[in-house]
Amino acid sequence: MPQVDWSLHFQPPGNAAVESMFDVINFLSLRQHNTILNSRGVLLDLVFSTDEGINITAASDPILYEEAFHPALEFVLLFGCSGVDNCDVVFHDLRQSTIDNVRAWLASLNYPDPSCLDIEASFNRFCLNMGSSIKTNSPVRRKNGSTYPRWVTRELRQLISQKKLLNRNYKTSLLDCDYEAFRVVRRQCKTLSNACQQEFFVTINNSIKENPRSFWGHMKSLSKANTVPSRLQYGLVLAYEPQGMCDLFSDYFSTVYTPHADCHTDYNYESNINVSSCLFSATEIERKLQDLDASKGPGPDGITPAVVKPCSDLLAPHLAVYLNRLLHDGSFPNSLKPGYLVPVHKSGSTSKVTNYRPIVIQSVFAKIFESLILDVLSFKFKSVFIPQQHGFRPGKSTTTNLCVFTLDRSQNAPRALCDPSKALKTCVTNSNTAI
């Protein structure tokens, strides 16, 4: 592809072959590193890698005879151990907790006293006890470090183990009967493998509307960019062990926070809003609990939505007393502050910490508390928001913001167009003008 400029991370449209190749390169987060030309001044040999630290030079001492059209290349690849082994891991499957036992534990509790002096400590104990109850009634699972693909069934794994055993026996004995037994099992293994793979793909294809998570889970398993890197770099610091990697993420993500500034800005809201005077009913809280996504995981407290949702009728009265009192006191409990921080790769090299963004997995009760207050604030400040405010508002998003921006900037767009669906079509039509 002599028309490709490999110093760029993208190519202008025009060549279908080049566009298809760059789609694959960008999907795998690859980059071409070789800049050494041959005797004709043409770049024929390409070197792709996700590691941006590769330095490619002409070989100082070629091992074989060097052709003029394909000069020998020399580069160094650094590999490190991530410290993650494939040993079995025993854990409690919190999503499969026995709901009846958790409901019985909730039914045996007395309602909290609203006049309790230390309501925060009482709420922290409640969260701790509920997390322990869910863990106690959860089955223990064993997760091994299997390297098999997702479509490999237990029957196929047993057949693969049998094939390896027969192959080992034949290499030891070199008998025809042992080879024939190995050949029969190998044929069965190949047939079953093709059938399992085909059935897996058909199942994912048929359930993509009802269960898109299975499809994206399969796509994530195919993407090399989602694997754990062997090393991480932040500035001049390199880390190869899990603890060191976590420290680098902590150092980088902490830079997005700025110290508290004593800045008092006067806003004229033309209303007196006191959030501490808000009261949440048990019905409102139960509705929020019912709207939880049961497929989400738990926070650090071990309270999972898959258990909270079926227990919403028993749990809502307890939360109503706790949350109303906490809101009245202006206190946010310590049990809701911790969260799991998951780094998500954005683009570029997976070995650089700066190419990640943080996602925090909060406690279920923290999400409920936040959603309740957000409903109150959205209603109270409804008259304050200007029409151009699209962030954190229901029914508005980056899509609607871009539609309005395109309509305002485009000279050919009709001014009377207000329908978002029509605005989106106009946005696509006039995308070149907007850019």
Side-chain angles (χ1 to χ4, degrees), residues 51-316:
D51 191 351
E52 297 183 0
I54 298 179
N55 184 22
I56 299 178
T57 59
S60 57
D61 186 16
I63 300 177
L64 302 176
Y65 173 76
E66 186 177 16
E67 294 184 0
F69 295 154
H70 298 278
L73 304 177
E74 184 176 297
F75 54 93
V76 178
L77 292 178
L78 299 178
F79 294 93
C81 178
S82 62
V84 180
D85 52 15
N86 291 328
C87 61
D88 293 348
V89 177
V90 179
F91 66 99
H92 288 268
D93 191 355
L94 302 180
R95 298 183 182 181
Q96 301 298 326
S97 180
T98 307
I99 304 298
D100 293 338
N101 294 345
V102 179
R103 287 181 60 88
W105 174 80
L106 285 172
S108 64
L109 295 179
N110 296 325
Y111 289 127
D113 185 8
S115 60
C116 178
L117 296 179
D118 195 351
I119 194 67
E120 181 177 347
S122 178
F123 179 75
N124 291 336
R125 286 194 301 269
F126 173 78
C127 294
L128 179 63
N129 294 334
M130 185 171 183
S132 301
S133 177
I134 294 176
K135 183 177 180 179
T136 303
N137 294 282
S138 300
V140 178
R141 307 291 189 190
R142 182 179 298 274
K143 181 179 180 181
N144 53 19
S146 175
T147 58
Y148 289 111
R150 299 177 61 194
W151 48 267
V152 176
T153 61
R154 179 178 298 181
E155 180 182 1
L156 180 57
R157 293 181 184 179
Q158 295 175 353
L159 202 60
I160 292 175
S161 300
Q162 184 181 357
K163 182 191 71 171
K164 293 180 179 180
L165 179 61
L166 293 175
N167 186 25
R168 192 181 304 114
N169 293 339
Y170 166 69
K171 290 182 177 180
T172 304
S173 64
L174 299 179
L175 297 178
D176 294 339
C177 59
D178 290 340
Y179 176 75
E180 183 64 23
F182 162 72
R183 191 170 67 88
V184 171
V185 176
R186 182 181 62 182
R187 188 186 307 113
Q188 295 176 356
C189 187
K190 185 176 181 179
T191 303
L192 182 59
S193 177
N194 294 333
C196 292
Q197 188 176 14
Q198 187 67 23
E199 182 181 358
F200 176 76
F201 290 150
V202 171
T203 302
I204 288 184
N205 185 54
N206 294 337
S207 62
I208 190 171
K209 290 185 178 180
E210 294 78 10
N211 186 19
R213 292 172 60 90
S214 61
F215 170 77
W216 291 112
H218 175 64
M219 294 300 297
K220 183 182 294 185
S221 65
L222 297 179
S223 176
K224 298 297 183 181
N226 290 282
T227 57
V228 179
S230 59
R231 64 169 183 169
L232 282 176
Q233 180 180 0
Y234 180 48
L236 300 178
V237 181
L238 289 175
Y240 298 92
E241 298 297 328
Q243 182 60 45
M245 294 181 179
C246 292
D247 293 339
L248 291 185
F249 278 122
S250 177
D251 294 339
Y252 171 61
F253 292 149
S254 62
T255 60
V256 303
Y257 297 100
T258 56
H260 177 70
D262 295 332
C263 179
H264 302 282
T265 306
D266 295 330
Y267 294 98
N268 183 17
Y269 294 125
E270 297 181 355
S271 62
N272 185 14
I273 302 174
N274 188 356
V275 181
S276 299
S277 62
C278 298
L279 290 177
F280 304 128
S281 65
T283 305
E284 292 178 286
I285 297 178
E286 183 178 356
R287 189 183 304 114
K288 292 291 184 180
L289 295 174
Q290 288 291 339
D291 293 338
L292 290 173
D293 187 356
S295 62
K296 300 297 183 180
D301 53 9
I303 302 176
T304 174
V307 178
V308 170
K309 191 172 183 178
C311 302
S312 58
D313 55 336
L314 297 176
L315 189 58

Side-chain angles (χ1 to χ4, degrees), residues 269 271-275 277-278 373-385:
Y269 294 125
S271 62
N272 185 14
I273 302 174
N274 188 356
V275 181
S277 62
C278 298
I373 297 179
L374 180 61
D375 290 344
V376 175
L377 295 180
S378 300
F379 178 78
K380 295 287 187 180
F381 288 97
K382 187 176 181 180
S383 59
V384 178
F385 292 132

